[in-house]
């Protein structure tokens, strides 16, 4: 009973939905504001990401003709559920969920679910734009997952365990640095930011894979993206930032680290054009592969 | 690198987004809302002739008035009416008008009534010439009475003036011919 | 599995409606067809029903971006028929407006091009610069888009204080030289999206009869300003910009260097503005029977006008051939075999003006 409650609290309250959604909106607002200021613009008001979701919630849901209603509506729900569950596993300070052996594997799987949902959303939409976006998303995930997975697996290799707590407690060393760089390499593509905003290139394929989505289902996809941003930044902080014995200090450090990471990828996004799919793929398999190889080598050499 | 320098510079500078109060300078050549001076208008129709979108037209109330009509919805603000008006009765204002709406019929349609005047000689209703034109044509001269004439009577008066003023060059020779 | 992918008539990459329908295999384009005619207005016919003064206002609305080119070319044609000699000052003012228009057209293009390769920051910088040009045009003509500067026989408005516009030109040259050109030619991601993309060889350029910057980027040195100088171009000394590569990068560079040349031309024209009347004739124009063909260099290439008069109040025929009309079909050979991702930047690289094309 106690364990069930702790899971429920973790998914619904902290670090789950209740805190992650506002945090995600805050981070999205920060990115948009920073982009705007870098481009010499005013930028959106603080509550804009929240307003966006609320506006979508009040709008009509249009389901394209010939699309299975069940899967069309289920995809955004699954996407939100998966990222929230993934976030609930991340051992942020105060997370009530007990650490499980092998939760890293679960986490990595859950993190792939939103991507899968997006790909499926594009394919079921019966829109050529959505289908091209889905294809791009799928191929891109093959590219960026190389450095992304290697960064986490290298840490697990060092820790000798596939348990999040163990990853967190690895003594700080060179592998941390190398793996962090490898992780950061994958981050812009995972967040669909420039120069890897290929699956959501509105000037090429009008929109991303949820082109046919509208109203509350689209709001759920947006919410899922917001939580994913929190998940990625906090995962980076938890795994690669050395922890202090004080949970509150840790929390502050993690949040600041998350914002800093976002600032970095935003800066990259504002100084670059969008690459082509083949170029992005080559980049990740050459430079991402190189970084992965070095990281893995470092775990062995240690 | 140029981009990085630029965007970091932007970060330090205030935003380029303009606030509603921070209006750009309106140039003196700005072509804004039309004004029409009925006192100067001679209802010659040049403005309606040069108006490509047909935003200007004239209506007549026979014997009483001629009305100049303007519909802002059709106007392309090219300014050709102002450029071509022979008496400068039309002017495109440089100050920017506030947004107009059709609620009170205000601003969207302009109507300017040019009252016809009876001719002081024959009584026919006609469009009077602008005061400035009249001053220039009959500069406090003996023909002050012609000010109120209609175009027909002006032609008559001109003709009469010519007749009285006519002194034939060959008056002597002609007389000689008569003599013969 | 091959699939067909429509770009347009409504698409974020397009400012105006036209359609490029491509057949793709994977991400590679195998064939393309271009469709135009979504905003046809029949201006050529309307022009026969308007008098000589109204036609200028009408012709100015052939295009929202190169509006002045059209009005100016039409006036040049009418002046040729009537045998009116343009006053020197009017020719200079027309040149200044034409080059300012080229600047704002090319800057608009650079912004759209930046946006099509996903470079939002560059778009913002380019459009800030464009704002300076628009402000200058507004200060001179009173309007930001349809300037209404031309009349048959001269110009309607003067530039009373030419030196007042020099600071804007300095800012423009600085922005172009320090931000826009280095970013387009040095930023690795921008280069990755433009170099070697959408190639049109010199032979293909001749075969498809492209004009303007597209032709000059494929090594064809054609520019009406140089080949058949009109207005004040002969006095100001004009240098055309030619690149042999024929890819999107070359088109970017040609336009960028043309902007620098435009800034120079405007500066010289402003500094050497001759005194004199603005108009050769007063009052409503009278055009005798006759016909004339005029070529001018619009921002997108050679604009061709044939105007015939039968001596009446309206022109008997106004034939307009706009540069986009001949450039747009060349999108087909450019996109063949290219990745789908490059479709938007390739179609944008010819700077298609649909309003011009459809008229």
């Amino acid at each position: 009973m106690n364990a069930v409650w702790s899971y429920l609290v973790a998914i619904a309250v902290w670090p789950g939905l209740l805190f992650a959604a506002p945090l995600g909106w805050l981070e999205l607002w920060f990115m948009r504001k920073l982009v705007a200021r870098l481009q010499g613009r005013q930028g959106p008001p603080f509550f804009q990401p929240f307003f966006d979701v609320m506006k979508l919630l009040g709008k009509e849901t249009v389901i394209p003709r010939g699309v299975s209603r069940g899967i069309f509506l289920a995809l955004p729900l699954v996407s939100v559920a998966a990222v929230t569950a993934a976030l609930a596993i991340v051992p942020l300070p105060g997370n009530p969920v007990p650490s499980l052996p092998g939760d890293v594997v679960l986490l990595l799987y859950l993190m792939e679910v939103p991507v899968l949902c997006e790909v499926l959303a594009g394919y079921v939409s019966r829109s050529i734009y959505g289908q091209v976006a889905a294809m791009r998303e799928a191929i891109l995930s093959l590219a960026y997952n190389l450095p992304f997975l290697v960064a986490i697996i290298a840490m697990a290799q060092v820790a000798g365990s596939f348990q999040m707590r163990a990853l967190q407690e690895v003594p700080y060393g060179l592998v941390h640095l190398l793996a962090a760089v490898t992780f950061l390499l994958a981050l812009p593509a995972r967040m669909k930011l420039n120069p890897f905003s290929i699956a959501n290139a509105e000037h090429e394929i009008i929109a991303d894979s949820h082109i046919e989505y509208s109203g509350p289902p689209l709001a759920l996809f947006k919410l899922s993206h917001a939580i994913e941003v929190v998940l990625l930044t906090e995962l980076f902080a938890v795994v690669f930032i050395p922890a202090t014995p004080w949970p509150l200090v840790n929390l502050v450090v993690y949040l600041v680290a998350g914002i800093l990471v976002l600032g970095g990828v935003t800066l990259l996004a504002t100084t670059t054009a969008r690459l082509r799919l083949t170029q992005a793929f080559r980049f990740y398999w050459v430079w991402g592969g190189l970084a992965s190889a070095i990281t893995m080598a470092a775990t062995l050499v240690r | 690198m140029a981009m990085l320098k630029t965007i970091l510079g932007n970060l330090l500078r205030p935003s380029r987004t303009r606030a509603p109060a921070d209006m750009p300078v309106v140039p003196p050549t700005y072509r804004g809302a039309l004004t029409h001076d009925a006192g100067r208008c001679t209802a010659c129709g040049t403005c309606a002739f040069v108006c490509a979108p047909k935003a200007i037209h004239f209506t007549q109330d026979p014997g009483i008035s001629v009305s100049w009509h303007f519909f802002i919805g059709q106007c392309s603000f090219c300014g050709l009416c102002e450029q071509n008006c022979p008496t400068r009765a039309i002017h495109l204002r440089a100050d920017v008008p506030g947004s107009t709406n059709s609620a009170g019929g205000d601003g969207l349609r302009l109507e300017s009534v040019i009252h016809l005047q009876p001719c002081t000689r024959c009584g026919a209703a006609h469009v009077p010439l602008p005061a400035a034109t009249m001053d220039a044509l009959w500069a406090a001269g003996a023909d002050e009475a012609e000010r109120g004439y209609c175009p027909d009577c002006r032609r008559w008066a001109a003709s009469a003036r010519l007749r009285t003023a006519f002194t034939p060059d060959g008056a002597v020779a002609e007389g000689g011919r008569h003599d013969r | 599995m091959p699939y067909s992918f429509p770009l347009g008539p409504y698409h974020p990459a397009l400012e105006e409606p036209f359609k490029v329908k491509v057949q793709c295999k994977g991400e590679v384009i195998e064939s393309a067809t271009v469709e135009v005619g979504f905003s046809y207005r029949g201006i050529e016919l309307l022009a026969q029903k308007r008098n000589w003064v109204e036609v200028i206002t009408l012709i100015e609305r052939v295009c929202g971006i190169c509006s002045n080119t059209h009005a100016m070319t039409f006036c040049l044609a009418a002046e040729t028929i009537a045998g009116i000699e343009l006053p020197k000052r009017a020719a200079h003012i027309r040149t200044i407006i034409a080059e300012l228009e080229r600047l704002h057209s090319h800057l608009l293009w650079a912004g759209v091009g930046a946006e099509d390769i996903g470079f939002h920051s560059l778009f913002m910088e380019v459009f800030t610069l464009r704002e300076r040009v628009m402000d200058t045009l507004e200060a001179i003509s009173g309007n930001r888009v349809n300037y209404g500067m031309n009349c048959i026989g001269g110009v309607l408005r003067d530039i009373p204080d030419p030196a007042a516009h020099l600071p804007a030109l300095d800012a423009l040259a600085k922005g172009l030289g320090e931000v826009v050109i280095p970013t387009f030619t040095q930023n690795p991601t921008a280069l990755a999206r433009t170099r070697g993309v959408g190639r049109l060889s010199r032979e293909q350029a001749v075969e498809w009869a492209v004009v303007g910057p597209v032709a000059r980027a494929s090594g064809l040195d054609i520019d009406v300003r140089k080949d058949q100088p009109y207005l004040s171009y002969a006095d100001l000394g004009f240098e055309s910009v030619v690149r042999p590569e024929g890819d999107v990068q070359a088109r970017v560079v040609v336009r960028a260097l043309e902007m620098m040349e435009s800034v120079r031309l405007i500066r010289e024209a402003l500094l050497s503005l001759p005194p004199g009347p603005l108009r050769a004739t007063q009052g409503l124009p009278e055009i005798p029977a006759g016909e004339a063909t005029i070529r001018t260099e619009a921002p997108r290439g050679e604009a061709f006008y044939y105007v015939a008069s039968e001596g009446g109040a309206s022109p008997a025929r106004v034939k307009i051939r706009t540069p986009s009309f001949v450039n747009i079909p060349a999108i087909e050979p450019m996109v063949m075999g290219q990745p789908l991702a490059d479709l938007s930047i390739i179609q944008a690289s010819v700077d298609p003006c649909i309003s011009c094309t459809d008229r």
Side-chain angles (χ1 to χ4, degrees):
Chain A
M1 193 63 207
N2 220 0
V4 173
W5 269 114
S6 67
Y7 277 108
L8 277 179
V9 168
I11 287 175
V13 186
W14 171 255
L17 216 49
L18 198 64
F19 279 90
L23 190 59
W25 289 329
L26 169 83
E27 294 194 339
L28 284 182
W29 170 82
F30 169 74
M31 285 164 81
R32 288 170 67 174
K33 186 80 179 172
L34 183 61
V35 169
R37 290 301 301 120
L38 287 170
Q39 293 176 348
R41 290 184 286 123
Q42 194 108 11
F46 182 71
F47 285 106
Q48 193 60 46
F50 169 72
F51 293 151
D52 289 349
V53 167
M54 291 317 282
K55 188 190 85 171
L56 284 174
L57 283 179
K59 290 212 158 197
E60 189 188 3
T61 305
V62 179
I63 299 176
R65 190 174 298 154
V67 171
S68 157
R69 195 184 164 81
I71 186 153
F72 190 81
L73 295 179
L75 284 172
L77 276 172
V78 171
S79 181
V80 173
V83 274
T84 316
L87 191 61
I89 299 172
V90 177
L92 284 168
N95 189 344
V97 168
S99 190
L100 303 170
D103 56 4
V104 171
V105 180
L106 180 61
L107 177 79
L108 291 180
Y109 168 70
L110 285 173
M111 288 187 74
E112 281 314 299
V113 173
V115 179
L116 199 64
C117 285
E118 298 224 333
V119 172
L120 283 175
Y123 275 121
V124 301
S125 68
R126 299 186 72 223
S127 156
I128 185 68
Y129 305 114
Q131 284 167 6
V132 172
M135 179 192 72
R136 289 178 167 200
E137 178 96 46
I139 293 177
L140 199 59
S141 81
L142 288 181
Y144 65 69
N145 267 338
L146 173 73
F148 180 77
L149 292 179
V150 163
I152 302 292
I153 290 169
M155 293 307 295
Q157 167 83 10
V158 176
S161 155
F162 269 111
Q163 198 164 358
M164 284 308 289
R165 285 275 148 81
L167 255 61
Q168 216 177 352
E169 281 152 15
V170 177
Y172 211 73
L174 179 66
V175 182
H176 270 91
L177 271 179
L178 290 172
V181 169
T182 315
F183 187 96
L184 286 176
L185 216 53
L187 209 53
R190 274 224 74 127
M191 287 191 180
K192 291 196 252 169
L193 291 174
N194 257 4
F196 306 108
S197 60
I198 296 164
N200 52 346
E202 73 280 3
H203 275 259
E204 290 160 21
I205 48 173
I206 295 190
D208 46 12
S209 54
H210 11 85
I211 180 163
E212 291 296 331
Y213 277 83
S214 55
L218 182 59
L220 284 178
F221 266 130
K222 298 275 176 213
L223 184 66
S224 163
H225 180 64
I227 299 175
E228 203 180 350
V229 169
V230 177
L231 173 62
L232 287 167
T233 50
E234 294 316 308
L235 180 66
F236 173 83
V238 164
V239 176
F240 300 110
I241 304 283
T244 61
W246 309 283
L248 262 180
V249 175
N250 279 353
L251 189 62
V252 172
V253 166
Y254 289 167
L255 290 180
V256 169
I259 293 287
L260 285 179
V261 167
L262 281 179
V265 291
T266 307
L267 202 62
L268 176 73
T270 42
T271 48
T272 49
R274 176 184 304 120
L275 290 174
R276 269 194 297 274
L277 188 57
T278 43
Q279 291 166 338
F281 203 85
R282 195 177 306 127
F283 173 86
Y284 274 120
W285 279 82
V286 172
W287 297 108
L290 197 64
S292 306
I294 293 172
T295 312
M296 285 314 281
T299 63
L300 299 177
V301 166
R302 181 179 55 94
Chain B
M1 274 307 107
M3 204 65 226
L4 191 65
K5 216 174 105 188
T6 311
I7 59 170
L8 290 178
N10 285 339
L11 198 60
L12 301 176
R13 276 191 292 271
S15 131
R16 293 186 287 227
T17 313
R18 288 191 122 149
D22 176 27
M23 287 282 282
V25 184
V26 178
T29 43
Y30 181 83
R31 305 194 289 279
L34 254 73
T35 55
H36 180 258
D37 182 358
R40 281 186 170 185
C41 183
T42 56
C44 67
T46 305
C47 48
F49 179 75
V50 299
C51 183
K54 300 290 172 222
I56 298 174
H57 71 278
F58 284 91
T59 56
Q60 291 194 2
D61 195 350
I64 297 165
S65 66
V66 176
S67 292
W68 174 91
H69 296 271
F70 168 70
F71 177 42
I72 202 166
Q74 265 169 290
C75 182
S76 64
F77 300 96
C78 62
L80 285 179
C81 45
E82 182 186 24
Q83 290 281 348
N84 286 293
C85 181
T87 53
R88 298 196 190 145
I90 296 179
H91 178 57
L92 269 70
R93 277 165 33 205
D95 53 324
V96 187
S99 56
T100 46
N101 63 69
S102 58
D106 53 332
L108 290 183
R109 284 170 201 280
L110 287 184
E111 185 183 354
S112 174
V113 181
I114 306 134
H115 291 286
L116 301 187
Q117 278 180 8
C119 175
T120 47
R121 182 171 165 271
C122 70
H126 73 284
V127 180
L129 289 176
T133 314
M134 288 203 261
D135 290 344
L137 285 176
W138 298 284
D143 308 313
E144 190 79 8
E146 284 181 27
R147 274 178 173 255
Y149 282 12
C150 70
D152 281 344
C153 291
R154 280 206 288 276
R155 202 177 307 120
W156 173 85
S159 173
R161 244 194 336 270
L162 273 175
R163 204 178 308 115
T164 52
F166 186 71
T167 46
D169 290 342
V172 179
E174 230 172 321
R177 241 179 272 130
H178 277 289
D179 282 348
R180 202 164 2 139
Chain C
M1 188 190 71
Y3 59 93
S4 85
F5 181 94
L7 183 111
Y10 304 108
H11 193 282
L14 307 175
E15 308 111 271
E16 295 171 275
F18 90 120
K19 187 172 175 181
V20 187
K21 195 169 186 177
V22 294
Q23 292 286 329
C24 297
K25 205 169 188 179
E27 273 244 332
V28 178
I29 296 169
E30 295 202 308
S31 71
T33 46
V34 177
E35 286 174 42
V36 294
F38 294 94
S39 56
Y40 179 70
R41 290 151 292 155
I43 285 185
E44 291 185 2
L45 184 65
L46 283 173
Q48 295 173 25
K49 300 180 174 177
R50 296 280 193 277
N51 60 52
W52 286 99
V53 187
E54 290 176 306
V55 169
I56 301 168
T57 310
L58 176 73
I59 295 284
E60 193 157 46
R61 277 141 184 90
V62 164
C63 181
I65 298 163
C66 43
S67 58
N68 176 70
T69 300
H70 291 285
M72 183 183 82
T73 314
F74 176 79
C75 289
L76 282 172
E79 284 152 15
T80 309
I81 297 174
I84 300 167
E85 204 190 331
L86 195 64
K88 270 251 178 267
R89 190 177 179 88
H92 260 65
I93 293 176
R94 276 189 188 177
T95 311
I96 291 166
I97 298 290
E99 290 305 315
L100 278 172
E101 182 178 67
R102 188 181 319 278
L103 273 179
H104 106 75
S105 171
H106 281 0
L107 281 170
L108 174 97
W109 179 83
V112 171
E115 191 71 10
D116 277 347
I117 57 170
F119 212 145
H120 302 284
S121 309
L122 184 54
F123 166 85
M124 293 293 167
E125 294 305 317
V126 170
F127 266 54
T128 307
L129 286 181
R130 182 169 178 262
E131 206 58 24
R132 289 301 296 259
V133 183
M134 305 284 277
D135 286 347
T136 309
L137 279 166
E138 192 184 11
I140 293 174
S141 74
N143 216 341
R144 285 164 63 86
V145 182
N146 294 310
Y147 319 114
M149 286 292 280
N150 291 287
C151 64
I152 294 173
V155 289
L156 292 173
R157 271 164 280 272
D158 195 11
I159 303 177
D161 183 12
H165 306 296
L166 294 177
L169 290 178
D170 294 335
L172 209 65
K174 185 167 177 280
L176 281 171
E178 289 179 9
V179 183
V180 179
I181 297 178
T183 307
F184 264 124
T185 55
Q186 285 162 22
N187 186 298
T189 52
L191 278 180
R193 288 307 300 276
T194 55
R195 192 177 279 166
V197 170
R199 223 175 256 284
L200 189 77
S201 67
R202 194 190 150 92
E203 290 69 37
Q204 279 175 313
V206 173
E207 190 186 331
W208 289 83
V210 293
V211 294
V214 183
R216 290 195 284 278
S218 291
L220 287 175
D221 189 6
I222 48 168
D223 192 318
V224 186
R225 289 175 287 174
K226 170 179 69 74
D227 302 336
Q228 215 178 66
Y230 54 99
L231 297 179
S232 308
Y233 289 110
D235 304 346
L236 296 171
F238 169 73
E239 302 264 329
S240 65
V241 183
V242 184
R243 287 265 143 176
E245 294 92 350
D247 55 359
V248 172
Q249 176 70 22
R251 282 166 223 148
V252 172
V253 172
V254 164
R255 290 203 177 90
L257 296 180
E258 269 189 37
M259 284 195 267
M260 296 306 263
E261 179 69 11
S262 288
V263 170
R264 186 191 70 79
L265 283 173
I266 297 166
R267 192 192 306 275
E268 297 214 347
L270 281 172
L271 290 176
S272 65
L273 203 59
L278 292 180
R279 298 178 65 166
T281 55
Q282 293 297 323
L284 298 176
E286 280 176 21
I287 309 297
E291 56 181 10
T293 55
I294 292 288
R295 297 192 301 152
T296 57
E297 187 74 14
R300 290 167 178 75
E302 174 197 306
F304 170 90
Y305 267 68
Y306 165 76
V307 178
S309 165
E310 289 172 355
S314 310
R317 177 81 174 100
V318 179
K319 158 77 189 150
I320 308 167
R321 199 208 61 182
T322 60
S324 296
F325 184 75
V326 284
N327 280 347
I328 284 178
I331 293 173
E332 286 178 27
M334 284 182 203
V335 299
M336 223 63 89
Q338 299 284 327
L340 180 61
D342 287 337
L343 176 57
S344 23
I345 181 64
I346 293 173
Q347 65 82 20
S349 75
V350 308
D351 201 0
C353 178
I354 313 307
S355 184
C356 278
T357 308
D358 289 351
R359 318 188 274 294

